[in-house]
């Protein structure tokens, strides 16, 4: 017999601009994520995270779990003002494929952030090369750059990429548990 399952509908809630108005997140965080409507579980998690409380989100595929912790981390970094150099967050994933995928999502947030200064929304580029190209064009056009730095460290990077991470000390490192252990135990 075939198995039929229905995806549950996630309960819609507030928009990011509502969270800005309530003082839960800052305007700069909204710039990165754009004008989006959130689900209840996202609002609850972001509220907890921005208040320094821990949270666990367990919900189905496509429910915006990543947005809950990214919004919390981004908001923390963006509210720092003159932030000190150094790593502020490790995002740890079980597989390198997830790291690569998440890196592309963060680049899309960078693109949205830069677009907000020129007032264009445009269609969401999905190809990594197209996203990279638009980011470069927007940086040149606006003279702005994304105020959050990030790098991935999967163990597959060459010496030059590892040295860049050491010297730049990005705000966020996307990694896996094996590389996190190496980062924490090596001098």
């Amino acid at each position: 017999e075939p198995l039929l399952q229905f995806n549950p509908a996630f309960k819609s809630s507030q928009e990011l601009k509502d969270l800005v108005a309530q003082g839960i997140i800052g305007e700069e965080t909204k710039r990165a994520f754009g004008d989006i409507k959130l689900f209840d579980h996202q609002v609850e998690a972001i509220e907890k995270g921005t208040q320094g409380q821990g949270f666990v989100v367990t919900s189905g595929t496509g429910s915006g779990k990543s947005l809950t912790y990214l919004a919390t981390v981004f908001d923390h970094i963006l509210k720092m003002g003159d932030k000190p150099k150094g790593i502020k967050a490790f995002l740890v994933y079980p597989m390198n494929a997830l790291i690569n995928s998440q890196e592309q999502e963060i680049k899309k947030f960078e693109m949205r952030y830069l677009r907000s200064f020129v007032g264009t929304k445009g269609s969401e580029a999905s190809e990594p090369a197209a996203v990279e190209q638009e980011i470069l064009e927007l940086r040149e056009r606006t003279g702005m750059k994304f105020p959050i730095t990030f790098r991935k460290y999967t163990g597959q990077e060459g010496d030059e990429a590892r040295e860049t991470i050491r010297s730049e000390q990005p705000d966020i490192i996307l990694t896996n548990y094996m590389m996190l252990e190496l980062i924490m135990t090596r001098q």
Side-chain angles (χ1 to χ4, degrees), residues 83-187:
K83 60 184 178 182
K85 185 176 182 176
I87 300 163
K88 311 324 175 263
F90 285 100
L91 303 181
V92 183
Y93 298 91
M95 300 183 317
N96 289 348
L98 293 172
I99 295 169
N100 295 333
S101 171
Q102 199 63 54
E103 178 189 37
Q104 288 308 308
E105 286 305 307
I106 293 174
K107 286 180 181 179
K108 288 179 186 176
F109 295 133
E110 177 178 6
M111 184 175 63
R112 284 188 198 139
Y113 180 88
L114 294 170
R115 281 179 174 178
S116 74
F117 291 99
V118 293
T120 61
K121 293 193 181 204
S123 61
E124 277 298 307
S126 58
E127 293 297 317
V131 172
E132 291 279 346
Q133 182 62 38
E134 184 168 352
I135 288 170
L136 291 173
E137 290 170 6
L138 286 165
R139 284 180 187 164
E140 187 174 308
R141 185 174 168 194
T142 63
M144 304 287 293
K145 65 179 189 172
F146 194 43
I148 297 173
T149 57
F150 57 94
R151 293 281 181 263
K152 69 178 178 179
Y153 183 64
T154 63
Q156 297 174 340
E157 293 77 21
D159 291 338
E160 186 177 325
R162 284 191 290 260
E163 187 52 43
T164 299
I165 291 171
R166 274 190 214 101
S167 65
E168 287 182 4
Q169 297 179 23
D171 298 319
I172 300 171
I173 293 183
L174 296 92
T175 191
N176 57 51
Y177 68 93
M178 297 281 292
M179 293 301 108
L180 179 62
E181 180 183 17
L182 289 176
I183 290 168
M184 295 177 73
T185 58
R186 287 186 177 171
Q187 293 288 332

Side-chain angles (χ1 to χ4, degrees), residues 24 42-55 68-69 71-73 75-76:
I24 296 169
Q42 292 173 308
V43 172
E44 183 180 354
I46 292 168
E47 286 175 340
K48 287 181 182 296
T50 56
Q51 293 170 7
Q53 298 176 25
F55 62 89
T68 62
Y69 62 83
T72 301
V73 170
D75 195 65
H76 175 75

